[in-house]
Amino acid sequence: MSPAPILVTGATGRLGRLVVERLIALEQPVRVFTRRPETARKLFGKAVQIALGEFADGTSLEAALRGAERLLLLSPISATLVADQIAVANAAAASGARRIVKISGSDWTIDPPGSSISGDAHAAVERHLGKLPLERVCLRPNAWMQVSLANTIRQVLSGNPVFAANPDAGVGYIDARDIADVAVHQLLADQVAGETLNLTGPHVATPRQIAGLLSAALGRPVAAIGKTPAAAAPGADFEQRAVAQFATLIAAGRAAVATGVVQSLLHRSPRSVEAFISEHLVSEAALAG
Ligand SMILES: NC(=O)c1ccc[n+]([C@@H]2O[C@H](COP(=O)([O-])OP(=O)(O)OC[C@H]3O[C@@H](n4cnc5c(N)ncnc54)[C@H](OP(=O)(O)O)[C@@H]3O)[C@@H](O)[C@H]2O)c1
């Protein structure tokens, strides 16, 4: 009998693809759930099974979960996040799956409740998972280097200073590759490491410190300038409102957290902001050259 595939939702996105690549490298059988089979085939070749489907289509979820024992639960920030993820989780429980590894919101968006619409949505899914007869672990990653820090670097490379609502409010940025490494670890481990894991990079960095690092790396002054974050425009969608709330929470210092969780699970340090910046600048220089 062939081994049970690991189902990955959100597989073609920023983080999901890193998880799939790692599972393939470990020669694990992977099934990806996607609305875009051609994109999945281009990304992963013949190394994966493709389950064509969409969260709102229960029949496609049922088919995707057939025979899968473990799954990575990931979906984008949206007004349908709770319904989408609960539909996947219920289908997983109904099909007899054993374990869900959920990519949740950052810990500071979830706790305390009521400060972030995105965090509250993830919290509702976490509570629901707790009622299902499955092993589950919810990974709560801090802000990803590949999103906001990469954006800051891009701005500076195009001649801007580092803009931030509070240049002295730090963030325990995490490299998405470390989140993927932990997700794979938790998919494959004999037992999950807990109900929720607060994942961060090795230390907290403020926008002012990041400006200093960029200044040293580029050999020119880079300023950190305080700038009031734009409020969500009237009629803004769920994701835009969530992002505006993140900026306010970060400015209040809520993301200034570094935990030892990645180190204790993977027995190595998480990747640092310094390493990410130098790697990013080297690849930008290679592209420019
Ligand atoms: N960025 C951060 O700093 C941060 C921090 C903490 C937590 N997070 C969490 O990370 C998650 C976002 O991860 P990401 O940035 O990797 O996502 P992403 O790049 O936006 O990818 C979204 C994925 O979801 C799939 N998808 C979207 N709608 C779907 C639908 N209706 N049916 C089936 N699949 C659907 C897409 O697949 P197809 O298009 O192929 O169908 C795609 O693979 C969010 O839950 C967010 O809260 C992010």
Side-chain angles (χ1 to χ4, degrees):
M1 208 170 78
S2 49
I6 297 170
L7 184 70
V8 178
T9 69
T12 60
R14 279 177 287 228
L15 178 60
R17 72 181 61 184
L18 301 180
V19 174
V20 173
E21 286 164 5
R22 280 158 174 71
L23 290 170
I24 293 170
L26 291 169
E27 299 185 359
Q28 294 291 321
V30 187
R31 186 181 291 161
V32 303
F33 185 70
T34 179
R35 299 162 301 176
R36 299 180 296 153
E38 312 78 25
T39 303
R41 208 40 100 202
K42 266 195 210 124
L43 282 171
F44 310 124
K46 295 212 178 309
V48 298
Q49 299 172 20
I50 292 181
L52 173 65
E54 104 120 85
F55 297 132
D57 174 1
T59 309
S60 71
L61 281 175
E62 199 184 310
L65 279 153
R66 205 161 293 141
E69 290 183 356
R70 299 168 190 231
L71 74 126
L72 183 87
L73 177 57
L74 186 167
S75 74
I77 294 174
S78 87
T80 62
L81 184 146
V82 178
D84 290 344
Q85 295 202 1
I86 285 181
V88 178
N90 287 347
S95 76
R98 275 181 35 218
R99 179 178 302 176
I100 293 184
V101 176
K102 167 175 160 53
I103 303 301
S104 206
S106 301
D107 190 70
W108 47 269
T109 66
I110 295 177
D111 203 9
S115 43
S116 157
I117 52 174
S118 165
D120 288 349
H122 280 297
V125 178
E126 289 190 2
R127 282 193 299 275
H128 186 79
L129 293 182
K131 295 182 202 146
L132 297 176
L134 293 156
E135 297 169 352
R136 91 284 186 188
V137 57
C138 299
L139 309 185
R140 296 181 175 181
N142 208 328
W144 307 356
M145 294 181 195
Q146 280 79 355
V147 180
S148 41
L149 182 57
N151 194 34
T152 299
I153 299 172
R154 217 171 296 121
Q155 298 270 332
V156 168
L157 289 177
S158 52
N160 293 298
V162 172
F163 288 118
N166 177 357
D168 296 306
V171 178
Y173 286 112
I174 182 163
D175 190 308
R177 292 169 292 185
D178 288 330
I179 309 171
D181 288 340
V182 169
V184 168
H185 179 274
Q186 291 295 286
L187 282 165
L188 302 180
D190 290 340
Q191 289 182 330
V192 295
E195 290 179 7
T196 61
L197 300 177
N198 184 356
L199 307 181
T200 74
H203 51 69
V204 167
T206 66
R208 207 179 296 286
Q209 288 167 332
I210 288 165
L213 291 169
L214 286 166
S215 178
L218 296 170
R220 63 173 168 84
V222 176
I225 310 267
K227 185 180 173 190
T228 309
D237 69 14
F238 186 94
E239 185 181 8
Q240 291 162 332
R241 284 185 288 132
V243 169
Q245 288 176 332
F246 297 156
T248 306
L249 293 169
I250 288 173
R254 292 272 292 276
V257 178
T259 70
V261 177
V262 172
Q263 167 80 49
S264 75
L265 287 173
L266 303 181
H267 306 293
R268 63 159 177 82
S269 293
R271 295 163 172 94
S272 67
V273 162
E274 288 85 343
F276 182 82
I277 288 175
S278 51
E279 205 182 320
H280 206 88
L281 293 179
V282 167
S283 65
E284 290 285 339
L287 281 178

